[in-house]
Amino acid sequence: MDTVPDGIRDVCGRERSLVARTRQRYAAVQQLLAEGASLSAISRQLDLDRSTVRRFARATSIDELLVKAVNRASLLDGFTTHLATRFTAGVTDAVTLHQELKAMGYTGSVQTVRRWLHPLRSATPAAPPPVRPAIPKPRHITRWIMTDPVRLAPEQRAQLTDALAYCPELQATATHVRDFADLMRKRRGERLLDWMQRVEADDLPALHSLITGLRRDLDAVTAGLTLPWSSGPVEGNVIRIKTIKRQMRGRASFDLLRKRILLAA
């Protein structure tokens, strides 16, 4: 049995494409020669240069051709061990490896390095992309942030935690919103200025607009967060009057509106 020349297989142990192509061409040329075809006819039929056909026709065996094919000099000769070691270590970027080889004296192009790495990449199974949790709708996230964490269902709390972990800006916003809710529930208006300064220290333009509005009537906001009284009853009556007015659809006089309000009281 003939000895297989060195270099027939690539770095992954598979037969090199050059070797496979040489075998196919040699078999085709020899078959056509056996059928009595001339070198010119074979050249036209296989779309090969006549000198290439002559070389395949004069070869005494396929091994003679393979020895010449696999022993061609390459600019990567002397660097393949370094490439294989670095690829195994996890450095798979062709540009990075090309820069390393240039520092070692390599004069070839990055395309040559990329072609050499191709069999390794195709033999290495790609890692499956990480499964990311489904992104909740913005209105759901808003409601969860505005709700007391102890009142959230375990599933909602877990989804909110995942969403905040993926977005530092959202995490900061949730923290400020909950701190402000604490000021409202516990009437800690004296801490409002400190809260506003913390908000302004973060890159959160939407909350900065809120701070601008609070500063326009800071005394009233501070009083609302400190004193036990509320304008809630007044606002409730205003809403009730507007509801009665809309029920008449603008077709009744003021006297009728007055009577309806008094009777509904």
Side-chain angles (χ1 to χ4, degrees):
M1 184 175 64
D2 294 337
T3 303
V4 179
D6 294 336
I8 285 183
R9 301 192 180 277
D10 60 21
V11 292
C12 297
R14 298 173 300 189
E15 189 172 72
R16 294 169 56 188
S17 58
L18 175 62
V19 173
R21 186 169 63 249
T22 301
R23 290 186 189 278
Q24 294 172 356
R25 288 179 176 177
Y26 177 77
V29 170
Q30 292 299 321
Q31 181 180 352
L32 291 174
L33 284 175
E35 295 173 357
S38 65
L39 296 183
S40 298
I42 296 174
S43 175
R44 290 191 299 270
Q45 184 171 342
L46 299 181
D47 195 22
L48 295 174
D49 187 83
R50 195 172 188 278
S51 60
T52 301
V53 174
R54 184 186 301 110
R55 178 163 54 85
F56 278 84
R58 292 179 179 178
T60 58
S61 68
I62 182 61
D63 290 344
E64 178 182 337
L65 295 170
L66 291 179
V67 168
K68 295 180 180 179
V70 301
N71 289 328
R72 293 177 180 176
S74 171
L75 291 175
L76 281 174
D77 290 344
F79 301 102
T80 55
T81 301
H82 176 80
L83 284 176
T85 302
R86 296 289 285 154
F87 189 92
T88 304
V91 183
T92 61
D93 181 62
V95 176
T96 301
L97 293 172
H98 179 250
Q99 294 296 328
E100 294 180 5
L101 295 186
K102 286 181 64 177
M104 298 168 61
Y106 174 68
T107 58
S109 68
V110 67
Q111 293 298 332
T112 302
V113 176
R114 188 172 286 113
R115 284 194 297 269
W116 191 91
L117 293 173
H118 180 72
L120 289 177
R121 290 200 177 97
S122 59
T124 303
V131 179
R132 297 186 61 179
I135 301 176
K137 295 181 179 180
R139 66 173 181 269
H140 293 166
I141 297 178
T142 302
R143 186 175 71 249
W144 297 339
I145 291 176
M146 300 295 291
T147 302
D148 190 339
V150 300
R151 297 184 178 180
L152 291 175
E155 181 181 355
Q156 295 174 338
R157 193 179 302 113
Q159 287 183 292
L160 178 59
T161 300
D162 291 338
L164 298 182
Y166 278 106
C167 182
E169 291 81 3
L170 189 60
Q171 174 70 69
T173 300
T175 300
H176 293 315
V177 168
R178 288 170 176 171
D179 288 347
F180 189 82
D182 183 74
L183 296 182
M184 294 178 60
R185 286 195 303 268
K186 299 179 180 179
R187 297 176 184 173
R188 293 176 173 175
E190 72 280 0
R191 301 184 182 182
L192 178 60
L193 286 177
D194 293 337
W195 179 83
M196 295 169 64
Q197 292 174 357
R198 291 197 303 271
V199 172
E200 291 177 327
D202 289 335
D203 186 16
L204 301 170
L207 287 184
H208 291 176
S209 299
L210 173 63
I211 298 301
T212 301
L214 293 179
R215 290 191 184 279
R216 292 173 182 168
D217 204 359
L218 185 59
D219 292 340
V221 176
T222 303
L225 295 176
T226 306
L227 302 177
W229 300 289
S230 170
S231 62
V234 176
E235 295 296 334
N237 278 309
V238 170
I239 293 175
R240 183 175 62 86
I241 292 172
K242 288 182 177 179
T243 302
I244 296 174
K245 181 180 179 181
R246 291 193 183 100
Q247 289 174 349
M248 296 186 294
R249 301 178 183 177
R251 293 195 292 267
S253 64
F254 176 77
D255 293 336
L256 178 58
L257 175 61
R258 179 175 178 275
K259 290 179 180 180
R260 289 198 60 185
I261 292 174
L262 292 176
L263 291 174

